[in-house]
Amino acid sequence: MTEPASTEILLVDDEAALREPLASYLTKQGFVVTQAGSAADARLRIASANYDLVLLDIMMPGEDGLSLCRHLAETRRMPVIFITARGESTDRIVGLEIGGDDYIVKPFDPRELVARIRSVLRRSGRAPVEVGEAVVYEFENWRLDPLKRRLIDPEGAVVSISSAEFRLLLAFLDHPRQVLDRDRLLDMVQGREAHLFDRAVDNQISRLRRKIEPDSRNPQLIQTVWGGGYMLAAEVRKTTAID
């Protein structure tokens, strides 16, 4: 199974001995791969291109991968998979809380990485979809276009959201007025090893509320159901996306 030539990946790792063979393998799988040997190099490439996904090492000389991921979460909507030798659960939680989408520990099987890339692309809305699937969600005068990963507020302005916030909002929009507990939300937005990250979902919901609630301290759209989880208290309509 190969990917469309438009699926572009930025691979950021200071170890050329790992980066170059991995880039070659991913290219054979059909991805278009750009390499960067440092966070500074990655910033230059990101400034002039829009990648579908970033594979990001954490431990690098100079700026580390966590700092670069935080920058991407604040300024761009690029999914991030950490590739690192640091496998402790605390490191994974930190990486996910600042905007990472998945985490794979070195050494890893390249086939598993490809499977995780495809999973993240599907969850982020960047995987190729059929024309018939191009829909827009409308709720409380907000609009979410999953294909473009674009959130538009009631005044028509585009609101920047991270990949994690996007996946979380999409989960709520697919299940309006349903109580979703943390385990179910994590299964929807994080996939495997979701049990490690149940603290992260509360932080992501807080961030999402600050984006879409008139008063995030008194949320009306994403409501807390004590002892149950969270619920999107809004009617949701699906309409055909228009370019």
Side-chain angles (χ1 to χ4, degrees):
M1 178 178 178
T2 59
E3 309 303 319
S6 59
T7 304
E8 299 190 20
I9 292 176
L10 178 62
L11 172 57
V12 188
D13 196 310
D14 63 302
E15 297 183 37
L18 179 145
R19 186 183 70 244
E20 293 174 357
L22 182 56
S24 177
Y25 178 84
L26 293 173
T27 299
K28 291 177 182 177
Q29 297 302 307
F31 297 102
V32 177
V33 182
T34 299
Q35 299 182 49
S38 66
D41 186 11
R43 282 179 179 260
L44 290 174
R45 296 181 184 279
I46 289 166
S48 59
N50 185 36
Y51 298 97
D52 294 292
L53 183 138
V54 179
L55 297 175
L56 181 58
D57 187 23
I58 289 182
M59 299 296 294
M60 295 185 291
E63 182 182 11
D64 65 16
L66 292 175
S67 174
L68 180 58
C69 180
R70 188 177 294 108
H71 167 73
L72 291 174
E74 293 172 350
T75 61
R76 306 294 289 269
R77 295 190 294 274
M78 294 181 185
V80 173
I81 297 178
F82 287 112
I83 49 172
T84 179
R86 299 176 61 174
E88 294 82 1
S89 61
T90 300
D91 295 323
R92 302 187 190 195
I93 291 170
V94 170
L96 291 167
E97 286 184 342
I98 65 174
D101 295 85
D102 204 348
Y103 201 114
I104 189 165
V105 179
K106 301 174 184 176
F108 52 80
D109 186 329
R111 293 172 298 179
E112 179 182 358
L113 177 61
V114 168
R116 290 188 179 226
I117 289 171
R118 289 173 178 152
S119 177
V120 168
L121 289 172
R122 286 194 299 270
R123 296 200 309 259
S124 68
R126 295 201 175 213
V129 297
E130 299 298 326
V131 173
E133 296 175 339
V135 298
V136 170
Y137 293 82
E138 297 181 350
F139 64 104
E140 297 295 319
N141 295 319
W142 287 78
R143 290 168 56 87
L144 180 72
D145 185 335
L147 189 60
K148 297 179 180 177
R149 299 183 72 251
R150 180 180 297 170
L151 178 64
I152 303 171
D153 72 12
E155 283 70 46
V158 176
V159 177
S160 177
I161 57 174
S162 69
S163 296
E165 292 163 354
F166 167 80
R167 297 197 309 272
L168 195 58
L169 179 57
L170 192 59
F172 282 120
L173 293 174
D174 279 331
H175 302 84
R177 301 193 183 280
Q178 296 182 36
V179 178
L180 304 176
D181 63 25
R182 289 177 180 82
D183 288 340
R184 190 174 179 192
L185 283 170
L186 288 163
D187 184 59
M188 291 176 183
V189 304
Q190 296 291 3
R192 73 181 65 183
E193 298 184 318
H195 61 284
L196 295 174
F197 316 126
D198 58 328
R199 286 181 55 201
V201 75
D202 295 318
N203 292 334
Q204 295 295 348
I205 285 175
S206 294
R207 291 171 182 159
L208 182 58
R209 280 171 167 166
R210 289 196 289 270
K211 302 286 179 68
I212 68 173
E213 297 277 5
D215 180 2
S216 62
R217 294 169 297 182
N218 183 32
Q220 300 300 310
L221 289 176
I222 301 177
Q223 297 182 356
T224 301
V225 180
W226 299 111
Y230 299 95
M231 178 181 71
L232 178 69
E235 295 293 334
V236 178
R237 294 179 58 245
K238 292 183 181 180
T239 62
T240 302
I242 301 175
D243 291 333

